[in-house]
Amino acid sequence: MRKLINIEVNGKAREVAVDVRASLLEVLRGELELTGSKKGCGVGECGACTVLMDGVAVNSCISLAVWADGRKVTTIEGVSPEPGKLSDVQQSFVDSGAVQCGFCTPGLVMAATALLGEQPSPSREEIRRGLSGNLCRCTGYSTIIDAVENVAKTRGQA
Amino acid sequence: MSNKVIGTSVPRWDAWSKVCGKADYTADIPVKNMLYGKIVRATIAHGRVLSLDTQAALAVPGVLKVLTPADLPRVKHATAGHPYTLDRSGDVYDKNILTEDVRLYGDEIAAVIAETQLAADIAAQKITAVYEEYPIYLTAQEAMTEGAREIHEGTKGNILADTTAKVGNVEEGFALADYVFEDEHRTQVVQHCHMENQTATAFQSADGRWTCISSTQIPHICRRILGEALDMPWSSFRVIKPFIGGGFGNKQDVTIEPLVVAMSIAMGGRPVRLELEREEVLAYTRVRHAIHYRSKVGVSKDGKITAWQVDAVSKTGGYASHGHSVAAKGGGILCTLYEIPHMSFRSRTVLTNTGNAGAMRGYGVPQITFAIEAMTDKICKELQLDPFEFRLANFKKEGAPHPLNGIPMVTNKVADCLTLGRQRFGWDAKMADSGAKGGSVRRGVGVAAFSYATGVYPYSLEIAGCRLTLNQDGTVKMLVGATEIGQGIDTGLAQIAAETLGIPAEMVYAEETTDTDIAPFDTGAYASRQIYVTGVAVAKAAEELKDKICRAAGKFYEIPHSAADVEDAFVINSVTGERVASLGDLALRTYYDKARAQTLTAEVSHNCHDNSYPMGVTFAEVDVDTQTGVVTVRSILNAHDSGVIINPLLAKGQVEGGMGMAISYALGEDLFYDPKTGEPLNNNLLDYKMPTCMDTPELDCMFVEPEDPFGPFGAKGLGEPPICSPAAAIRNAVCHALGFEINALPLTPGKVFAAIQNNRGGGADV
């Protein structure tokens, strides 16, 4: 069964006919061709599919697409302030060496963006807690925590 | 010329595309008219498929075909991503793409092709098999038992390999010893957990050949194995590796590519994608070998090792994969870490009905380092020797030849790693601070050293290629057959090219895809080899291109070519130091000068006949809660000699990533199988304890940087070394805190608590 849903994706209103069984991740990656969000497990364990729904970080792989009807969804493709520019979180991931294979990166950037929205100056321990739903196997997390901490410091000085 | 690019933290060129979600991995690449595959897996661990009922599956709407072993070539292939050997002696050819002979739970017995992934998944569940069941052997001991059924016909006692590496005469060595120590150590099964599951897409190309886009670490080797598995000419295949979401050795095995190409062939060339689920990756791709070591060490009164004997039994699972070479690697590690006049290192690799073990970061070295450094710790404790003095007195000396292959270990700064690391870690203060910390907490410190190698020479082929092209504006396009899998090799290689050419790193364009039709031949990402082997190919190609640039300068400008050089992207007169022209100006003339244009490229294939030995030490401080058995790593430092560090930020990333993986190897990760059925029990990321950032402590690392004479700009391998010694150091710290030994990994709260209760170590048979 298919259902017509209306989602605002990265600031743009979209009308999509979705299989009611489809996850938000499947619709983002499939119908909407937004492949930046990754599938690492499909069952909400790894966080590689993290997107913001009305500003809140969710695992899009275990969110039904129909739940996003009438809501605002931000994906990794939508966090840049303008085309060709990186958000401060994205830039900090680059500068801090927080990117290796990059498969977890979109989810972590989204989770970090949400975390810093809720807690502007988190401690390293709070950053660890805030990102604990996102698995990374390459970095040992150290540079990722640095990246988020550096954004908080820079924003604090601004 | 002084280094301008080497040793600087050039940002990895692909980081921006990864933070934007622009980097395309295999599953992100759109392909027209795609079909979807699903593997049907055995629900027993050992037996034979007598019949398959595919009717219900074929009735699922959208299902197009079910493949069974009868539909595929009967030729067997070897899945290990080793370099080929001309006599085919290097690997064990024991795998059919699909099989009736079930050797582990989840073995691949059929495959569904459908119009949607959902239809394929549903159909796969509807296929039922009738089996003849055999006894299952989940441990090496069980599989080696007299009368046990051969898991592969002809493999006597289920022993895949039984080799002994010897130095001197170990019995003579024990006769020289004043003290002899013996113990046993056991390690567990763990999994790579790269974040991107294995994914491949295959289709027939316009030229009638078969393209396979795959998340492989070894595109060129994958192409050869496709030929072997499908019994077709190797050139029938084109393997393309896009961005990869990690591999850690698991993608150094060819696990899904032959099947997905067979699916496309079965569908007349229509594209088919096969994307494994996390549960399949954890249980049915490859895992790390569980190894059981029995060690015996002789030591003289003056604290010198006289003899070291090891008997290793390694559990390799249902197929050979890399099994025969992983456990045996330990012998070379042992006798290059310490000066051991008399050594005997026996390793038996045993087939079992468990997950197939293969290559995993460190390739048997985290295991043997655990056994070696637990023994070293035991010797120091029992003889009341200082663990630093004992190690310094027994370390293999710099410049000494490798006892098994004769190659001199020209640079070996393990002693510096130990002494400088001791200072940075604050060992002495931490040692003074150890002991009971109030309540139920006890604090301890531990140290462990390791030895490694770079690449596989002299045991296997070491070959790498690079092609450089001077673009119209003076930038350079670099193509290599080496494989970027997240480690940052492309950026490091671009730095080598830039340094050699005399241009900034951002003027060298790397390439995220490795395409076997286009990229020069290179065996790929494994054995921490690429910076060392491919790096030399890149340096040689850059030297050749620079020579061509200087010759062209002699043609286009008023300068003898012998005086021309390139600096900061300008052609200069090396005698006067004057700038002659920008490299861009010269490049444009090489393309468009009507009379004399001739574009400049350089291509090099480098056959490496060297090896250099990365070394290092881990220091760990832990708290052990004796009421719960919980171990907390308070601080940890890895000190590495990997030669000159090409890119400090990327190197730090490699080390910290390896440390993170190693800490959970020490403390938590363990893949379990049902003792009755052999079914994997925790093959998901909820029950398999891959660490989150809350489980990973702050990490520290440092580098001692001798200039190695063989590696490019003095570099040695770094990818795998960081994972080799942390588990041993953590174990030694835990034992220090508790005052008794635990000799099996992982040190989970349950195991530590039980050991506290029993005041002894131990573990289950591997």
Side-chain angles (χ1 to χ4, degrees):
Chain A
M1 193 178 95
R2 292 184 91 79
K3 185 173 183 244
L4 206 60
I5 60 169
N6 289 284
I7 333 178
E8 187 185 311
V9 182
N10 299 332
K12 206 167 152 188
R14 304 293 293 259
E15 192 181 62
V16 206
V18 301
D19 187 322
V20 292
R21 299 168 297 184
S23 69
L24 178 57
L25 178 67
E26 286 168 329
V27 170
L28 289 171
R29 289 181 54 83
E31 278 87 344
L32 300 177
E33 296 183 346
L34 295 168
T35 54
S37 305
K38 305 301 180 197
K39 178 185 169 188
C41 69
V43 288
E45 294 159 351
C46 79
C49 65
T50 305
V51 300
L52 307 186
M53 209 192 285
D54 290 338
V56 177
V58 298
N59 286 321
S60 64
C61 74
I62 49 168
S63 304
L64 285 174
V66 292
W67 295 350
D69 193 11
R71 304 177 75 171
K72 288 181 184 173
V73 172
T74 309
T75 71
I76 188 69
E77 290 89 347
V79 290
S80 306
E82 53 183 292
K85 285 252 169 81
L86 299 182
S87 74
D88 55 356
V89 177
Q90 289 172 310
Q91 187 64 50
S92 187
F93 268 65
V94 174
D95 297 340
S96 307
V99 180
Q100 290 192 32
C101 86
F103 203 79
C104 72
T105 305
L108 269 156
V109 168
M110 300 315 293
T113 301
L115 172 69
L116 289 165
E118 292 156 22
Q119 282 177 286
S121 49
S123 66
R124 283 181 83 81
E125 218 33 56
E126 286 167 336
I127 296 169
R128 286 178 190 281
R129 193 167 299 120
L131 301 182
S132 60
N134 293 73
L135 295 175
C136 167
R137 192 59 148 174
C138 294
T139 62
Y141 298 107
S142 186
T143 46
I144 291 169
I145 297 161
D146 292 347
V148 180
E149 195 177 35
N150 291 340
V151 175
K153 279 182 190 159
T154 310
R155 284 188 191 173
Q157 286 158 7
Chain B
M1 193 179 75
S2 62
N3 287 344
K4 293 182 174 176
V5 185
I6 300 299
T8 63
S9 294
V10 171
R12 53 183 305 149
W13 72 275
D14 54 3
W16 78 273
S17 68
K18 288 176 175 176
V19 298
C20 294
K22 284 183 198 294
D24 279 341
Y25 300 76
T26 301
D28 302 334
I29 297 171
V31 177
K32 282 186 292 188
N33 300 317
M34 184 108 81
L35 299 173
Y36 299 85
K38 184 73 184 175
I39 296 169
V40 180
R41 298 183 179 279
T43 54
I44 62 166
H46 196 192
R48 189 169 167 80
V49 178
L50 299 177
S51 64
L52 278 173
D53 185 349
T54 60
Q55 257 188 326
L58 287 165
V60 173
V63 169
L64 300 177
K65 203 164 252 182
V66 174
L67 295 181
T68 66
D71 300 315
L72 297 171
R74 288 291 184 175
V75 58
K76 286 186 173 170
H77 64 283
T79 63
H82 288 140
Y84 185 67
T85 52
L86 289 176
D87 62 359
R88 285 169 57 107
S89 65
D91 278 308
V92 182
Y93 288 70
D94 66 353
K95 183 88 171 81
N96 286 116
I97 298 173
L98 296 174
T99 185
E100 289 110 350
D101 294 304
V102 177
R103 298 180 172 103
L104 65 146
Y105 197 100
D107 216 343
E108 294 136 13
I109 58 173
V112 179
I113 308 164
E115 283 170 345
T116 66
Q117 189 66 61
L118 190 59
D121 293 355
I122 291 169
Q125 288 176 9
K126 290 185 185 289
I127 292 176
T128 54
V130 177
Y131 300 101
E132 178 188 356
E133 293 195 52
Y134 307 147
I136 62 169
Y137 312 114
L138 302 184
T139 68
Q141 290 305 329
E142 289 166 13
M144 287 193 293
T145 306
E146 181 84 31
R149 190 184 179 95
E150 289 171 359
I151 293 171
H152 285 270
E153 211 176 304
T155 309
K156 288 213 167 84
N158 284 315
I159 297 173
L160 183 69
D162 182 352
T163 56
T164 303
K166 287 183 179 170
V167 177
N169 179 323
V170 81
E171 292 311 323
E172 282 177 26
F174 284 119
L176 296 169
D178 296 301
Y179 311 99
V180 173
F181 300 91
E182 291 186 64
D183 220 329
E184 299 183 29
H185 302 91
R186 297 164 202 267
T187 68
Q188 79 279 31
V189 175
V190 296
Q191 218 269 333
H192 314 67
C193 296
H194 38 77
M195 293 315 300
E196 180 203 26
N197 296 319
Q198 272 92 340
T199 307
T201 307
F203 53 86
Q204 191 167 29
S205 322
D207 59 6
R209 299 188 302 148
W210 301 91
T211 295
C212 181
I213 305 171
S214 172
S215 61
T216 176
Q217 292 177 222
I218 45 165
H220 281 285
I221 288 178
C222 181
R223 177 194 211 183
R224 180 256 300 174
I225 295 176
L226 280 172
E228 291 178 320
L230 291 156
D231 203 16
M232 289 162 65
W234 301 356
S235 64
S236 326
F237 305 98
R238 177 176 187 173
V239 177
I240 299 173
K241 173 221 76 91
F243 281 110
I244 296 190
F248 310 113
N250 201 17
K251 294 171 183 172
Q252 195 203 339
D253 253 46
V254 173
T255 53
I256 59 169
E257 294 89 345
L259 178 59
V260 74
V261 175
M263 287 172 160
S264 180
I265 291 172
M267 299 312 301
R270 226 179 128 175
V272 181
R273 176 172 296 160
L274 185 57
E275 183 176 357
L276 295 190
E277 297 288 340
R278 176 60 58 185
E279 292 75 9
E280 295 178 285
V281 171
L282 269 157
Y284 311 129
T285 56
R286 298 292 176 268
V287 294
R288 187 187 290 286
H289 288 83
I291 307 183
H292 178 184
Y293 297 96
R294 289 183 186 83
S295 304
K296 183 176 167 187
V297 187
V299 182
S300 65
K301 263 185 199 148
D302 60 353
K304 289 279 197 147
I305 297 164
T306 64
W308 199 308
Q309 184 173 38
V310 176
D311 185 353
V313 175
S314 174
K315 179 167 93 169
T316 207
Y319 292 90
S321 175
H322 291 253
H324 47 298
S325 43
V326 168
K329 185 170 170 133
I333 299 305
L334 173 56
C335 66
T336 52
L337 179 60
Y338 292 121
E339 181 64 46
I340 298 170
H342 303 283
M343 180 189 87
S344 168
F345 191 100
R346 183 185 186 194
S347 57
R348 279 173 288 173
T349 300
V350 184
L351 292 163
T352 51
N353 299 118
T354 52
N356 198 178
M360 182 171 172
R361 194 178 199 174
Y363 212 76
V365 180
Q367 295 98 311
I368 186 60
T369 302
F370 175 69
I372 295 170
E373 288 298 81
M375 285 308 292
T376 306
D377 200 58
K378 182 188 192 75
I379 293 163
C380 293
K381 286 223 170 77
E382 295 200 8
L383 296 181
Q384 296 187 312
L385 298 172
D386 179 89
F388 293 89
E389 282 172 21
F390 178 80
R391 284 182 172 84
L392 289 170
N394 286 284
F395 276 150
K396 193 88 189 159
K397 296 288 176 286
E398 185 168 47
H402 188 304
L404 301 181
N405 63 35
I407 298 176
M409 299 174 68
V410 176
T411 55
N412 173 0
K413 298 294 181 200
V414 69
D416 290 357
C417 291
L418 190 74
T419 49
L420 297 172
R422 177 183 189 167
Q423 289 168 23
R424 181 176 173 119
F425 186 68
W427 172 275
D428 296 0
K430 283 177 176 157
M431 173 61 90
D433 185 45
S434 62
K437 298 314 286 182
S440 53
V441 174
R442 295 194 60 83
R443 187 165 294 168
V445 287
V447 60
F450 74 89
S451 158
Y452 206 69
T454 306
V456 293
Y457 183 81
Y459 305 106
S460 295
L461 168 74
E462 266 306 353
I463 191 166
C466 172
R467 180 158 67 251
L468 299 174
T469 303
L470 185 68
N471 294 325
Q472 285 96 328
D473 55 4
T475 59
V476 172
K477 180 68 186 180
M478 176 181 76
L479 286 179
V480 292
T483 315
E484 169 65 54
I485 62 170
Q487 77 283 57
I489 190 66
D490 277 356
T491 304
L493 294 175
Q495 286 178 257
I496 289 171
E499 184 74 53
T500 310
L501 283 164
I503 60 178
E506 59 268 24
M507 284 182 70
V508 179
Y509 296 122
E511 173 67 40
E512 80 271 19
T513 57
T514 306
D515 179 333
T516 54
D517 264 22
I518 296 167
F521 186 76
D522 188 306
T523 46
Y526 55 86
S528 304
R529 60 178 289 280
Q530 295 187 139
I531 202 73
Y532 185 81
V533 182
T534 313
V536 171
V538 170
K540 283 182 168 180
E543 280 162 20
E544 192 180 312
L545 182 61
K546 188 167 168 182
D547 183 61
K548 289 180 176 176
I549 289 168
C550 292
R551 285 173 189 279
K555 209 158 59 170
F556 294 122
Y557 310 116
E558 297 290 315
I559 178 177
H561 77 76
S562 56
D565 200 354
V566 182
E567 198 176 277
D568 298 332
F570 280 86
V571 177
I572 63 159
N573 183 323
S574 61
V575 179
T576 64
E578 282 172 319
R579 283 183 172 177
V580 176
S582 72
L583 189 56
D585 183 82
L586 177 137
L588 201 62
R589 289 167 193 254
T590 64
Y591 278 82
Y592 302 112
D593 182 291
K594 228 172 170 183
R596 293 172 296 180
Q598 192 170 31
T599 57
L600 303 186
T601 61
E603 177 153 358
V604 165
S605 176
H606 168 59
N607 187 334
C608 171
H609 291 173
D610 300 311
N611 207 322
S612 299
Y613 297 86
M615 312 290 292
V617 179
T618 301
F619 302 82
E621 180 193 35
V622 303
D623 274 352
V624 185
D625 188 326
T626 54
Q627 280 185 353
T628 61
V630 171
V631 176
T632 309
V633 175
R634 283 174 53 80
S635 54
I636 186 161
L637 165 70
N638 262 29
H640 286 272
D641 161 15
S642 278
V644 170
I645 297 302
I646 304 288
N647 184 317
L649 187 63
L650 292 183
K652 175 175 174 282
Q654 285 295 286
V655 175
E656 290 176 347
M659 292 171 78
M661 229 180 201
I663 290 167
S664 59
Y665 180 54
L667 298 180
E669 292 182 38
D670 203 347
L671 200 51
F672 298 110
Y673 299 90
D674 186 310
K676 289 201 177 70
T677 64
E679 182 178 2
L681 293 176
N682 59 335
N683 53 324
N684 61 73
L685 292 174
L686 198 62
D687 298 317
Y688 180 84
K689 296 302 179 190
M690 178 184 159
T692 70
C693 51
M694 293 189 74
D695 304 313
T696 310
E698 295 291 331
L699 307 168
D700 192 18
C701 68
M702 62 174 281
F703 299 99
V704 176
E705 298 187 57
E707 196 170 324
D708 190 81
F710 305 122
F713 297 99
K716 302 192 271 189
L718 179 64
E720 294 163 283
I723 201 172
C724 295
S725 52
I730 290 168
R731 176 264 177 205
N732 289 349
V734 169
C735 297
H736 178 234
L738 292 175
F740 59 86
E741 296 184 321
I742 305 180
N743 287 334
L745 291 178
L747 303 173
T748 53
K751 188 180 288 168
V752 173
F753 182 76
I756 291 166
Q757 297 301 303
N758 301 327
N759 201 358
R760 62 178 170 82
D765 275 346
V766 296

